[in-house]
Amino acid sequence: MNAPKPSSFHQRLIHALRGWRRRVRDGRSARAAARHLGGMSDHELRDLGIGRSELPALLDRHR
């Protein structure tokens, strides 16, 4: 017995849910990176070639 083919609505729903899950995962990753970079000392950031004042622009670029 064959399973019924998913409807167009079903496919759109699955696509939307996968996109939502990807955005949630990417948001969590971005917030973790922001916490990590925000917790670094100015010296550590300079070692990476990043100034503290550059952090907001760098983090916004990856959203």
Side-chain angles (χ1 to χ4, degrees):
M1 183 173 207
N2 293 333
K5 286 191 168 200
S7 68
S8 178
F9 170 77
H10 183 256
Q11 290 171 337
R12 289 192 317 266
L13 178 62
I14 294 299
H15 181 72
L17 290 173
R18 286 181 179 155
W20 173 78
R21 186 173 61 181
R22 183 177 51 252
R23 287 189 301 276
V24 168
R25 183 185 61 233
D26 292 348
R28 285 179 182 163
S29 178
R31 286 188 298 277
R35 280 192 307 272
H36 183 74
L37 288 171
M40 294 176 88
S41 70
D42 289 338
H43 179 77
E44 291 170 322
L45 289 172
R46 277 193 307 269
D47 284 347
L48 295 173
I50 302 170
R52 187 162 300 279
S53 63
E54 297 175 83
L55 288 179
L58 288 172
L59 296 171
D60 284 342
R61 190 180 327 159
H62 294 289
R63 286 187 186 174

